[in-house]
Amino acid sequence: MLATIQKSIVEQEQQVEKLSTQTIAAFQEWLNKGQQQKLAAEKIPQSGLQAHYSFDARDLKNQVNAKQVGIMKRETGMTGDKPNFINANAGKALALDGDVYLDLGEVGIFRKSEPFSIGIKALIPKSLNEGVLFHKSSAERLYNFRGFHVYLKNDRLEINMAHTAPSNAITRVSRAPVPRDRWLHLTLTYDGSARASGFNLYLDGQALAMETTMDQLYKDILLVGNPQPGLQIGAWWRGLGFKGGQVDDISVYKRELTPFEVGVLAQKQTWAKVSNKPVAQLSEAKKGHLLAYYQQVVSPPLQEARKTLQSRRTELSDSSEQIEELMVMQEMKHPKKTFLLNRGNYDMPGKQVFPNTPASILAWPKNLPKNRLGLAQWLCLPEHPLTARVAVNRFWQNYFGTGLVKTTEDFGNQGEMPSHPQLLDWLALRFIESGWDVKALQKLIVLSATYRQDSRVDKSLREKDPENRLLARGPAFRLSAEQIRDNALLASGLLNPKIGGKSIKPYQPAGLWEINSASYTADTSDAVYRRSLYILIKRSVPNPTLATFDAGSRSYCVVRRQKTNTPLQALVTLNDPTFIEASKVLGEQMCKISDAPKAIATVYRKLTGLQPSKAELALLLKMQRAQQENFKLHPEKAKGWLDAGLYKLNSKLDKAMLAANAVVANTIMNSDATLSKR
């Protein structure tokens, strides 16, 4: 679909170009009728003018629409500050302090498909190192600079239009230093093409030479939801403002001004010198100015063609918004310079450094590019001493609980030596020689005699090797947080096997997210039964179920989790709706098996992979009968067991038996046989 829309945009752009070459006759007729003479009265361009603010009347009214009045605000939009009008430019101007900004409300709201122009007189003080002149966005980088802005930094002016900067954006930076302590006129123009070539900045009517640092804007620049923030002058929340600066004569157009019109707006050109001359006396340059204006503003065929083009570009923006994205890294066209920092101070750069690898590990081959692709290729070179060993060690840890190198995260001189160095080397070589076949490596480990050993251990061996570093017995350790939850869902038949897609929000106690002024609404579909891999993780408020069983907070990379054993873990499996719901579903399945011992043994097998011993079965049968009698006497106590979660039970089944079976299933779920791998 997008390809079709993009093709139609290219075709319409070609149509606009074609019509531009066909307007000469109509343009000549327009000249002969003297229509251009009407332009002589314009002090600033009038066509497409959306707003103009001069401040001479000591107010913030839009002179095009008096109902629109600007408001002085600060930070998140707090009002109450008064405008600071000063004498300047034979009238009044607005002085700014870098904190309070002029909010123009509905003025200046444009999509990436809509052409626009913004002109402003500004006095930039010599003392200002960095700050925003004007922008259409919410705060500074709160939404990755979504919108557009003109920003002063490093004595250069940056213009930016972004969906999510720095990648999905257009960014251009002026090449020459910015004049200071004098009034100058800046005009930002945009043609609606979402290309850097159509996004320009003029200084005193002349196009600035710009360096394009990013040119790949492919999604819209509007924020999600309404009302949209409009044009804001002089400051933004969470960022540096136009401190000590002054502004005047703000003009906003809902079209792209021609270069000559920009000169008129900057008061460096006048239409009178062009339009009042007889047609025969017009130079080619002046005719060119008039032709550009005619094509931009007057020509009916071109106006209609541009309207169609804008409509198709808007359609592309709307369609692109529906596409889900995955974040990936991208090489910069011009990599930033990197320096050693003296004493670690970011503002004290020392010697410049360049991409390379330690020769003591493996020198960088000359045939590889010095970028992320080259780094990936370097890591996977057969002669690389670390990659295969580290990968194999992590797989070994997954199966045995402890890696051959215990410090899985550290193979350096601070880490432990391998318990079986020759085994580690052999597995690493097998892994490389197999073509990095991960599946084959898993099969090799699980079919090994070492892995298939009995995990039971006598007192003597436990004293000699408490951590099983000698591999004299099979692995025995508690399942991970994700495995415990997924095992309960799988055993009950609730597990949703869908692969990929959005993160999920399973059941969670109410109010946890309110600590960060956020709200949490659990999913109400079978998404709550998806694997724990897909659970949405908020780093400041981790998922309580996973966190209790030592899952990482995602604040930093963890390849070897801490192992704890606390009463809170039992409270989770006894009370978490996920486990109670899985228990009631298993209880329902037990009700459909008439033979009670067989029903219990079936659920035991599903949860543990084992058959219960006679003693265990007898205890569970006794519990089932006792719980059934209890629920018959106190039916209200069954409610908590039967109402948990989204799953709807068969209403025809005996509720007392259902609840009793759920208790039995939950008891098995909380046993060591379920929670531990042996």
Side-chain angles (χ1 to χ4, degrees), residues 432-451:
I432 295 170
E433 290 167 357
S434 69
W436 306 90
D437 191 332
V438 174
K439 187 174 182 180
L441 181 63
Q442 314 306 308
K443 185 176 180 180
L444 178 66
I445 293 174
V446 299
L447 292 181
S448 67
T450 306
Y451 181 74

Side-chain angles (χ1 to χ4, degrees), residues 136-164:
K136 185 260 176 253
S137 58
S138 180
E140 186 209 30
R141 64 195 71 213
L142 185 59
Y143 297 98
N144 294 87
F145 297 98
R146 185 170 300 185
F148 59 83
H149 67 243
V150 175
Y151 193 82
L152 174 70
K153 186 177 182 180
N154 298 326
D155 207 25
R156 304 292 189 274
L157 288 172
E158 173 193 271
I159 59 174
N160 178 274
M161 180 180 291
H163 176 81
T164 47

